[in-house]
């Protein structure tokens, strides 16, 4: 139900809330150009609370805040949907805070000990960083490779710096987990100066998810992360695969931008670069039009007419040839990467992991991908495969499978919260009360 709340007048600042004992919290933010996703975490222990999204920022008549919070007693999640005006990310964040203070904790703004931000591109930065002027300059510099995402991320950071003055802010980069790739995996076969002078190379994305999956897989396998060799398949609207040796990424399918690699919802993935030149020179498309065609009109959408795998599967079942072709292309490409990364890992693969919307829900897709891979030591148990859907973690390997086949729901927000906490240190939970007390 859409409800309306009176315009939000006053942000609950650190100084105008007093009262009960403070419970340290982390706030995770993921800013898009007109959206702001958020999630609250309790810190001791690290537990997810309310999360949501402010959408259509800048379009005052249509701004919407959607939120949900788990029921502490394990019942149905509470859900909200409100129309609230927000002209920019700062006012959206203020509205979110007002909403949280009304519905979660009146002293929330004093309880926040750190804010973790998802940032898409961090060039070769290999770890989460405390946001200072140098880090912000680096994010700005990386915007050349992520022209839509990084400026949006910076808007979220600026908003949080204004609203949470003095609270440590941490950037967690989608690229960071892949910074351990060796040069032979990340340098492209084009003149070396393009890498050296212009930083054109493979960076890889979804790193926060891949890292989370490796950590979870290590726990499921009963190994330390530094002994874990896995192939992680993050299969959603955007999809990527990573080869992980001894807990470190050694190759990944996305490249300088998220366009390379697997066939995706609307992105083409791997194509002969000459196709791009041909489209521009022979069909007369501008660079911008080609960019739009390859990123927004290609992939499953371009081949089948739908970017949603569920619709593609349904149409394929009805006998639509193009839908079947798109499905076959998707499966073939994932298989190719699993085979290639098995070779990159010297055949020593502890597990293949499936995650994200497709990987977590489509037992059909997983089954098709794993069909015929017995030679690589991968044997799926079809019953277990059917059961591991709807966000359930599961081991879907048949008893004889040398390589474990795991379904692991990804949780990028939790990973950002964990990494943020690593940067600021758990000692900051005491600093929280201190910061609040000082301001008060
Ligand atoms: P995003 O990259 O936008 O976060 P998601 O990880 O949510 O995307 O994945 C979205 C994709 O997952 C869509 O292609 C959707 O069709 C697919 N998907 C979700 N549930 C199923 C399902 N039960 N069967 C097949 N595909 C599914």
């Amino acid at each position: 139900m859409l409800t309306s709340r009176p315009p939000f007048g006053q942000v609950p600042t650190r100084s105008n809330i007093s009262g009960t004992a403070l419970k340290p919290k982390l706030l995770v933010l993921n800013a898009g150009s007109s959206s702001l996703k958020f999630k609250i975490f309790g810190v001791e222990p690290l537990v997810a609370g309310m999360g949501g999204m402010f959408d259509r920022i800048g379009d005052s008549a249509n701004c919407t805040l959607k939120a949900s919070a788990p029921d502490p007693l394990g019942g149905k999640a509470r859900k909200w949907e409100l129309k609230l005006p927000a002209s920019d990310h700062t006012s959206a964040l203020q509205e979110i805070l007002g909403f949280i203070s009304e519905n979660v904790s009146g002293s929330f703004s004093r309880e926040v000990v750190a804010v973790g931000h998802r940032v898409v591109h961090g060039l070769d930065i290999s770890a989460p960083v405390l946001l200072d002027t140098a880090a912000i300059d680096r994010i700005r510099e990386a915007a050349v490779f992520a022209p839509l995402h990084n400026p949006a991320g910076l808007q979220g950071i600026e908003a949080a710096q204004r609203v949470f003055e003095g609270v440590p802010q941490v950037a967690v980069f989608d690229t960071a987990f892949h910074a351990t790739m060796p040069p032979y995996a990340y340098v492209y076969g084009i003149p070396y100066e393009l890498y050296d002078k212009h930083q054109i190379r493979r960076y890889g994305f979804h790193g926060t998810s891949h890292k989370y999956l490796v950590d979870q897989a290590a726990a499921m396998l009963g190994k330390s992360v530094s002994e874990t060799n896995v192939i992680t398949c993050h299969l959603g609207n955007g999809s990527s695969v990573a080869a992980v040796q001894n807990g470190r990424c050694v190759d990944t399918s996305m490249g300088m931008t998220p366009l390379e690699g697997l066939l995706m919802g609307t992105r083409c993935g791997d194509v002969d670069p000459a196709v791009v030149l041909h489209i521009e020179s022979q069909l007369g498309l501008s660079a911008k039009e080609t960019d739009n065609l390859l990123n927004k009109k290609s992939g499953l959408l371009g081949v089948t007419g739908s970017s949603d795998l569920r619709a593609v599967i349904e149409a394929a079942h009805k006998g639509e040839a193009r839908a079947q072709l798109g499905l076959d292309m998707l499966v073939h490409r994932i298989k190719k990467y699993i085979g290639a990364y098995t070779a990159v890992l010297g055949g020593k693969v502890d597990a293949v992991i499936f995650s994200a919307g497709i990987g977590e829900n489509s037992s059909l897709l997983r089954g098709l991908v794993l069909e015929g891979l017995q030679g690589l030591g991968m044997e799926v148990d079809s019953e277990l495969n059917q059961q591991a859907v709807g966000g359930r973690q599961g081991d879907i390997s048949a008893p004889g499978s040398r390589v474990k086949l795991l379904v692991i729901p990804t949780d990028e927000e939790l990973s950002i919260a964990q990494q943020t906490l690593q940067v600021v240190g758990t000692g900051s939970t005491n600093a929280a009360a201190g910061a609040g007390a000082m301001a008060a």
Side-chain angles (χ1 to χ4, degrees):
M1 193 185 66
L2 212 60
T3 53
S4 236
R5 202 170 61 78
F8 179 63
Q10 194 185 9
V11 185
T13 64
R14 291 166 178 280
S15 55
N16 65 9
I17 296 173
S18 60
T20 55
L22 299 177
K23 295 195 182 117
K25 297 207 170 55
L26 286 180
L27 180 64
V28 170
L29 294 178
N30 179 357
S33 52
S34 62
S35 67
L36 186 60
K37 288 192 193 144
F38 69 96
K39 193 147 195 178
I40 304 168
F41 287 85
V43 170
E44 289 167 340
L46 195 61
V47 179
M50 176 192 274
M53 176 164 175
F54 210 112
D55 213 359
R56 300 196 180 198
I57 296 169
D59 176 8
S60 278
N62 294 304
C63 293
T64 318
L65 172 62
K66 287 185 188 160
S68 69
D71 175 8
L73 301 174
K76 256 183 136 184
R78 282 187 75 193
K79 288 190 191 301
W80 294 263
E81 184 167 335
L82 300 95
K83 276 204 177 273
L84 294 169
S87 54
D88 57 18
H89 285 70
T90 302
S91 51
L93 183 56
Q94 286 171 336
E95 293 289 356
I96 290 170
L97 279 189
F99 176 76
I100 294 171
S101 80
E102 275 173 21
N103 292 288
V104 179
S105 163
S107 42
F108 178 73
S109 70
R110 280 197 297 150
E111 294 175 331
V112 175
V113 291
V115 183
H117 297 269
R118 179 206 180 202
V119 180
V120 166
H121 215 303
L123 296 171
D124 55 359
I125 296 175
S126 61
V129 294
L130 200 57
L131 280 161
D132 55 14
T133 316
I136 287 172
D137 285 348
R138 201 89 174 115
I139 295 169
R140 225 168 253 136
E141 198 187 329
V144 67
F145 298 126
L148 297 178
H149 292 101
N150 270 29
L154 283 167
Q155 283 181 303
I157 290 166
E158 277 161 25
Q161 283 180 329
R162 272 195 210 118
V163 173
F164 292 102
E165 211 185 324
V167 172
Q169 314 263 334
V170 173
V172 178
F173 300 98
D174 272 18
T175 46
F177 181 65
H178 305 300
T180 50
M181 280 187 290
Y184 56 76
Y186 70 69
V187 174
Y188 286 122
I190 53 179
Y192 192 77
E193 299 75 53
L194 291 173
Y195 161 61
D196 214 20
K197 294 207 180 82
H198 300 281
Q199 301 171 293
I200 294 174
R201 50 160 284 186
R202 175 185 312 285
Y203 289 99
F205 297 86
H206 292 142
T208 309
S209 174
H210 289 289
K211 177 181 161 38
Y212 179 81
L213 298 175
V214 174
D215 292 348
Q216 292 294 111
M220 285 173 82
L221 296 166
K223 289 185 146 201
S224 70
V225 171
S226 63
E227 293 171 334
T228 299
N229 299 327
V230 289
I231 297 170
T232 46
C233 305
H234 176 109
L235 309 175
N237 254 324
S239 299
S240 64
V241 189
V244 178
Q245 191 162 47
N246 300 325
R248 293 157 65 86
C249 177
V250 291
D251 203 356
T252 191
S253 59
M254 282 180 166
M256 182 185 83
T257 75
L259 189 53
E260 196 179 343
L262 300 176
L263 190 79
M264 302 178 224
T266 63
R267 297 187 195 121
C268 59
D270 297 334
V271 289
D272 179 347
V275 170
V276 180
L277 306 176
H278 185 86
I279 288 172
E280 292 189 358
S281 66
Q282 299 299 313
L283 308 184
L285 263 66
S286 67
K288 202 169 168 206
E289 286 165 337
T290 309
D291 179 60
N292 190 46
L293 180 134
L294 298 174
N295 272 295
K296 304 257 172 70
K297 297 186 177 163
S298 297
L300 278 179
L301 176 67
V303 177
T304 72
S306 172
S307 63
D308 189 319
L309 184 62
R310 284 165 293 202
V312 173
I313 290 172
E314 209 182 306
H317 281 161
K318 284 185 189 148
E320 279 184 32
R322 288 266 216 94
Q324 188 62 52
L325 173 65
L327 180 60
D328 292 344
M329 288 168 67
L330 177 67
V331 168
H332 178 67
R333 194 85 62 91
I334 302 169
K335 256 187 212 276
K336 260 181 26 176
Y337 271 96
I338 292 177
Y341 286 173
T342 299
V344 165
L345 296 174
K348 294 190 184 115
V349 183
D350 298 321
V352 175
I353 294 140
F354 293 91
S355 193
I358 294 172
E360 290 167 28
N361 293 301
S362 182
S363 48
L364 177 93
L365 188 282
R366 292 189 304 246
L368 291 171
V369 165
L370 293 166
E371 208 172 80
L373 299 191
Q374 292 86 348
L376 300 182
M378 299 167 193
E379 278 183 70
V380 66
D381 180 308
S382 54
E383 208 161 297
L384 293 175
N385 184 32
Q386 294 292 333
Q387 288 163 10
V389 290
R392 268 193 293 278
Q393 182 170 293
D395 178 347
I396 60 168
S397 24
S401 186
R402 182 164 48 79
V403 177
K404 288 278 180 209
L405 307 169
L406 307 176
V407 176
I408 305 180
T410 195
D411 194 338
E412 292 169 86
E413 283 115 346
L414 177 59
S415 183
I416 292 171
Q418 289 166 338
Q419 296 184 61
T420 300
L421 208 54
Q422 276 162 17
V423 171
V424 299
T426 42
S428 66
T429 57
N430 298 327
M438 268 189 317

